Amino acid sequence: MTERSPAPWACQPAHSRGRRWAEPEDLHRHAFQRDRDRIVHCTAFRRLVYKTQVFVNHEGDLFRTRLTHTLEVAQLARSVARRLRLDEDLVEAISLAHDLGHAPFGHAGQEALQACMRAHGGFEHNLQSLRIVDHLERRYLSFDGLNLAFETREGILKHCSGANARELTIREPGGVAARFLGGGQPSLEAQVVNLADAMAYNAHDIDDGLRAGLLQSTTMTELPLLGRLHGQVLAEHPALEAGSRRTMTEVLRRLLASMVDDLVQATSDALQEMAPRSADEVRASPAIARHGERMQAELRELSGFLFTHLYRHPQVVDSTARGRQAITELFQAYADDPSALPADFPPDAQPLRRATDYIAGMTDRFALREHRRLTGRALFAIDP
Ligand code: MG
């Protein structure tokens, strides 16, 4: 395999729109490599290991956590980026930071914080990821946050409400939130990470769901996409048992490979047709990274299936409901007594935002410990 030069549609570190605070260039690493390294060393990144993806962290040692999910996203996104001649370091930086702002206890934690903050500016995990890298990390002497390059921050802010985009754009005219007001897309690197996120969780949530016994291989292989791959595996390896763990592992391996191949193919076709000559032309075009139509339909069906049979499974709903309760009661405790927050936690003009920042940054087990300290009650039978 040969090194390939970046494509005209790739983001180029030498043409970066720069950092919010000017810094001297690093002698050995370009801007996006430096961003990736800053993310790997930040505190919020280490916390991902104890944050729930779907299964509450202490329910089993082999389920995905936010950290292993994040690493799988980075792996898939880099594979795609290499084949599309995108900037792999930028793709890796965006991937590693994409879930930093997730609250403890997965979607239940996020919904709890959204409900608590509804009347006070809301809570969005993408915006929270940006707040972490822009403000909340305190590691450098000359600035708050990690002072990442525009392109990395643009990729981190995947969604943003109109109200938040207006507020961000007042502080940073023409900045990373402007596209949510004026239309337009992020870089192709960011588009690829968004799709890699979905490819990663579609595959690993099946794996975790099967491992937990909440999904059955016989039902999963009734989905046309998985049924087709399962059929191929059995035809090539007649000695394998239908639906066994080994067989399903091979089915999931092939699922990842087919999603990656399909994404590269459909995106290459779109690039050929739209022929952007620069990263800025990518931003001004409709979304370019995509799956083919058949894969899109099959992935929609798979997501719908996982939503009903896994994310809304009574066992998942029950354990995450206790996480939701922990978050809601923690929020109430800090709202009643802001002095319960650590004195050295970064201040905010809005005390409820400060409490939200603190709670969102917690790991699952720290949230449970803090909840027990403040309320005197334990929500899970097991001591995390
Ligand atoms: Mg994710």
Side-chain angles (χ1 to χ4, degrees):
M1 295 227 222
T2 49
E3 270 292 292
R4 293 197 291 175
S5 55
W9 48 77
C11 281
Q12 304 216 18
H15 301 151
S16 170
R17 292 195 202 171
R19 305 177 185 278
R20 298 200 303 160
W21 289 274
E23 289 184 65
E25 292 288 317
D26 187 280
L27 285 179
H28 308 287
R29 295 168 301 168
H30 69 54
F32 306 147
Q33 291 170 332
R34 210 172 174 189
D35 283 2
R36 176 203 52 213
D37 297 350
R38 286 182 178 189
I39 292 160
V40 168
H41 287 280
C42 81
T43 313
F45 184 74
R46 285 194 297 284
R47 289 187 175 130
L48 295 174
V49 72
Y50 288 116
K51 286 194 175 205
T52 290
Q53 180 69 22
V54 171
F55 291 91
V56 172
N57 209 286
H58 60 251
E59 286 182 322
D61 289 348
L62 295 180
F63 297 126
R64 267 65 175 189
T65 66
R66 286 268 164 217
L67 181 64
T68 54
H69 160 71
T70 292
L71 297 175
E72 289 180 40
V73 172
Q75 182 274 316
L76 291 169
R78 278 196 81 126
S79 292
V80 173
R82 190 164 312 145
R83 288 166 65 180
L84 296 174
R85 292 159 58 211
L86 301 176
D87 191 285
E88 284 183 52
D89 297 298
L90 175 58
V91 154
E92 192 174 12
I94 298 171
S95 301
L96 295 179
H98 88 282
D99 269 354
L100 291 180
H102 259 290
F105 303 110
H107 283 285
Q110 140 117 344
E111 286 161 15
L113 276 183
Q114 279 167 344
C116 293
M117 286 299 281
R118 190 156 291 138
H120 315 282
F123 176 79
E124 294 178 48
H125 72 266
N126 290 294
L127 184 58
Q128 193 65 19
S129 300
L130 188 70
R131 278 179 72 73
I132 288 170
V133 301
D134 279 0
H135 303 291
L136 296 173
E137 284 285 330
R138 302 272 153 117
R139 316 182 58 81
Y140 296 89
L141 300 180
S142 338
F143 44 77
D144 291 339
L146 306 179
N147 199 29
L148 302 179
F150 172 90
E151 293 75 10
T152 310
R153 297 174 58 241
E154 169 194 43
I156 291 173
L157 193 62
K158 173 164 109 180
H159 296 296
C160 186
S161 69
N164 284 326
R166 275 187 289 281
E167 207 176 299
L168 283 172
T169 306
I170 291 169
R171 292 205 296 271
E172 186 187 352
V176 290
R179 72 187 156 93
F180 300 102
L181 302 175
Q185 298 293 326
S187 68
L188 200 50
E189 281 81 354
Q191 295 180 33
V192 163
V193 175
N194 291 345
L195 292 169
D197 185 19
M199 294 194 294
Y201 64 66
N202 276 325
H204 67 51
D205 288 349
I206 300 175
D207 190 39
D208 282 354
L210 290 170
R211 182 182 298 280
L214 304 188
L215 298 175
Q216 272 65 48
S217 53
T218 39
T219 346
M220 292 310 302
T221 50
E222 281 169 20
L223 292 166
L225 174 60
L226 294 179
R228 200 163 60 239
L229 297 170
H230 185 248
Q232 276 172 17
V233 173
L234 292 182
E236 288 170 35
H237 303 274
L240 277 179
E241 191 191 329
S244 70
R245 169 154 285 280
R246 191 104 191 236
T247 307
M248 291 311 286
T249 303
E250 176 64 14
V251 168
L252 293 179
R253 200 185 66 72
R254 291 183 188 209
L255 172 65
L256 284 173
S258 12
M259 290 189 292
V260 166
D261 286 345
D262 176 85
L263 174 57
V264 169
Q265 188 56 55
T267 305
S268 301
D269 293 347
L271 280 166
Q272 200 153 36
E273 192 187 309
M274 293 153 102
R277 286 164 302 177
S278 66
D280 277 338
E281 285 194 11
V282 168
R283 293 184 174 98
S285 307
I288 295 176
R290 62 187 67 176
H291 286 289
E293 273 173 35
R294 179 182 181 187
M295 183 63 87
Q296 278 179 37
E298 290 184 329
L299 290 178
R300 257 197 309 276
E301 193 181 12
L302 174 57
S303 300
F305 183 93
L306 287 175
F307 186 84
T308 320
H309 294 87
L310 183 62
Y311 310 140
R312 290 285 173 254
H313 190 287
Q315 188 181 315
V316 171
V317 170
D318 175 63
S319 58
T320 54
R322 280 182 265 180
R324 182 193 310 259
Q325 185 185 347
I327 300 289
T328 309
E329 293 179 358
L330 272 175
F331 182 87
Q332 201 49 57
Y334 296 130
D336 293 345
D337 177 15
S339 73
L341 288 163
D344 60 353
F345 191 75
D348 194 282
Q350 208 193 349
L352 292 178
R353 180 61 60 192
R354 184 162 177 256
T356 302
D357 285 339
Y358 188 53
I359 296 170
M362 291 178 180
T363 61
D364 292 10
R365 58 188 195 167
F366 182 81
L368 291 177
R369 249 184 266 144
E370 185 69 355
H371 176 270
R372 200 170 47 212
R373 183 179 77 83
L374 293 173
T375 66
R377 284 178 290 114
L379 288 172
F380 284 86
I382 136 170
D383 197 351

